[in-house]
């Protein structure tokens, strides 16, 4: 499975919010600049994530976006699903030369890919923003970089 740009940018944006360490909302412009994401595109993704209940927005001079829950409570699966990325097995072409139109091997391969997709989805449910936060902080410490974060 390859993440789409939507999924990649969405994870970056929410990880940016998690890493900010502040209770103040972050503006689209600030997130876009830190993460090198086009601001109009980011705004659309944040609207999708707001509708999914992952972020809330506040208008005004000190407005912006905030996580609705702690990073521990937000999974990668939720983020990807909020912007339309799905983990699904691709159908196998079952047109065979036998009378039934299907081959047992085709059915078995379809079942294998469905099982893989289910396990991948479970893994994405088990990985949270908090996990990514600690991974990023560990990487930064190893690099002895400042606390500003770019995915």
């Amino acid at each position: 499975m390859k993440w789409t740009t939507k999924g990649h940018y969405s994870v970056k944006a929410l990880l940016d919010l998690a890493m900010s360490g502040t209770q103040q909302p972050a503006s689209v412009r600030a997130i876009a600049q830190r993460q090198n994401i086009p601001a109009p595109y980011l705004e659309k993704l944040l609207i999708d994530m707001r509708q999914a209940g992952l972020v809330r927005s506040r208008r005004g001079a000190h407005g912006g976006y905030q996580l609705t829950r702690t990073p521990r409570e937000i999974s990668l699966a939720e983020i990807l699903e909020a912007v339309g990325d799905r983990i699904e097995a691709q159908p196998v072409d079952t047109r065979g030369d036998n009378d039934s139109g299907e081959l047992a091997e085709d059915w078995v391969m379809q079942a294998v890919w469905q099982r893989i997709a289910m396990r991948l989805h479970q893994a994405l449910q088990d990985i949270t923003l908090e996990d990514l936060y600690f991974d990023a902080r560990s990487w930064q410490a190893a690099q002895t970089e400042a606390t500003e974060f770019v995915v």
Side-chain angles (χ1 to χ4, degrees):
M1 183 224 138
K2 182 179 177 187
W3 288 4
T4 66
T5 301
K6 289 189 323 182
H8 180 76
Y9 284 167
S10 298
V11 171
K12 285 178 67 166
L14 292 194
L15 188 54
D16 186 277
L17 290 174
M19 300 278 302
S20 69
T22 177
Q23 297 300 325
Q24 298 301 316
S27 71
V28 172
R29 192 175 111 206
I31 298 168
Q33 286 177 338
R34 285 192 298 263
Q35 299 302 327
N36 196 27
I37 302 171
Y41 189 63
L42 178 58
E43 180 72 38
K44 291 177 185 176
L45 296 175
L46 287 166
I47 289 169
D48 288 342
M49 290 187 284
R50 188 186 73 220
Q51 291 171 344
L54 298 176
V55 296
R56 64 178 156 259
S57 62
R58 185 164 60 175
R59 293 179 180 242
H62 300 288
Y65 286 87
Q66 295 174 288
L67 298 175
T68 58
R69 295 177 272 154
T70 66
R72 177 184 295 172
E73 299 170 315
I74 299 174
S75 73
L76 242 55
E78 285 182 281
I79 298 167
L80 296 175
E81 289 169 5
V83 295
D85 277 1
R86 302 274 187 235
I87 309 302
E88 296 176 348
Q90 296 298 315
V92 174
D93 183 5
T94 58
R95 291 172 288 156
D97 294 328
N98 63 3
D99 293 333
S100 70
E102 288 188 30
L103 297 173
E105 294 86 358
D106 292 335
W107 182 87
V108 168
M109 288 311 299
Q110 180 68 28
V112 166
W113 285 111
Q114 286 175 343
R115 291 173 78 181
I116 290 169
M118 286 175 24
R119 294 229 171 115
L120 181 55
H121 183 74
Q122 184 60 50
L124 291 172
Q125 285 180 321
D126 292 342
I127 299 170
T128 67
L129 274 179
E130 181 180 68
D131 297 326
L132 299 179
Y133 172 90
F134 288 124
D135 289 346
R137 288 291 187 209
S138 295
W139 180 84
Q140 285 176 332
Q143 302 298 314
T144 62
E145 289 193 4
T147 59
E148 186 175 0
F149 178 73
V150 176
V151 179

